Amino acid sequence: FPDHHPEAWQATLPPERLSQVTCGYVSEEVQHNRAAMRGIFQALHACPNLEWLQYSWIGMDFEAFVPLKKRSPPVRLTNAAGSNAKPIAVSVLAAILGIHRGFHIWAHAQARKEWTDKRKVHDRPDIEGLHVVIFGFGAIGEELARLCTALGMRVTGVRRSPAASPHAAAVIAEGQLATVLPDADFLVVTAPLTEATRGLFNRSLLTQLPERASLINVGRGQTVDEVALAELLETGRLRAAYLDVFAQEPLPQESPLWSMKNVVISPHDCSTSSSNAGRCQEIFERNLLRFGRGEPL
């Protein structure tokens, strides 16, 4: 892909060749090359007979998809669900353990070269029995539940269509979320952005968590009211947060979240793994065979 002149990618294919393209694949490495991403989508938008596009991430809320969805018939879009479940689950588990053991406190103390009185740190019982509520219990939620359960934590999964899981004490419907929040030690949001999840975690819902609870968001930033969250963290109404996604990315420098001692921020990085590309490729190859045979993708 041309790094500085994305229009050159489309220009290398004459209209008669573009008209022959019926499927496309946006591979994992393209996600990290903005010029290549622009180039390949310019080419795809110029393919009048495109029927199917496989892409290597999860979310559907991507502006470049809009023209493809508006076609008649719309281009079929398939994501790489599950391809990044392992690194995300490991990132969340690291956050749970780090917050519970106070690593964010030690990091700030180290920056100040301060030997902090450990008696001032929050109560830290053993992790066995800690209650982790996972909102968005798909591949990521299941993998996280497996890891948490292996360490003795109690997991409640929340999803649109509840189904029993060997890794969760219970799996409940989204409408029952409020019933488990008062007993949660960690609320983990892995759900995608939809009309139902946009702004779902507002002040009213977040204040149903106990003061000992922490929020972890690795889904989409727009699902959480960041202003309300910052205020609850500042006042100690919630213990801590690990945030990998934000309503605006990069997170604006004026956001109060940057300077909060009980907030751990990562730059939309929790899914990063050199193993993802192989998993995405396998998903594409399976779907390509189905596409060629006329089977459901």
Side-chain angles (χ1 to χ4, degrees), residues 51-52 59 87 115 123 131 154 171 200 211-213 226 271:
E51 298 178 29
W52 163 55
W115 189 269
D123 181 49
H131 186 196
R154 177 166 57 95
V171 181
L200 176 64
E211 290 187 4
R212 70 175 187 276
E226 291 178 359
S271 64

Side-chain angles (χ1 to χ4, degrees), residues 1 9 23-33 36-42 44 50 52-57 62 64-65 68 77-80 277 280-281 284:
F1 301 106
W9 171 239
C23 65
Y25 174 43
V26 184
S27 58
E28 199 271 342
E29 65 271 17
V30 175
Q31 293 186 58
H32 311 294
N33 187 326
M37 184 77 84
R38 288 195 302 270
I40 194 170
F41 272 98
Q42 284 180 359
L44 290 168
L50 185 68
W52 163 55
L53 174 63
Q54 172 74 52
Y55 58 98
S56 56
W57 58 94
F62 188 54
F65 290 156
L68 302 178
L77 303 174
T78 53
N79 64 10
C280 292
Q281 183 72 22
F284 169 63

Side-chain angles (χ1 to χ4, degrees), residues 135 174 177 196-202 205 222-225:
F135 183 86
E174 292 178 356
L177 174 62
T197 62
R198 186 183 298 276
L200 176 64
F201 295 94
N202 54 24
L205 202 61
Q222 295 92 331
T223 62
V224 176
D225 182 341

Side-chain angles (χ1 to χ4, degrees), residues 136-192:
F137 205 65
I140 297 169
E142 283 277 9
E143 177 64 11
L144 174 61
R146 184 183 70 82
L147 298 177
C148 290
T149 301
L151 293 176
M153 290 179 263
R154 177 166 57 95
V155 174
T156 298
V158 185
R159 59 180 301 169
R160 283 180 297 177
S161 302
S165 166
H167 308 304
V171 181
I172 62 175
E174 292 178 356
Q176 298 174 282
L177 174 62
T179 66
V180 296
L181 292 182
D183 185 45
D185 293 291
F186 288 90
L187 171 60
V188 181
V189 181
T190 72

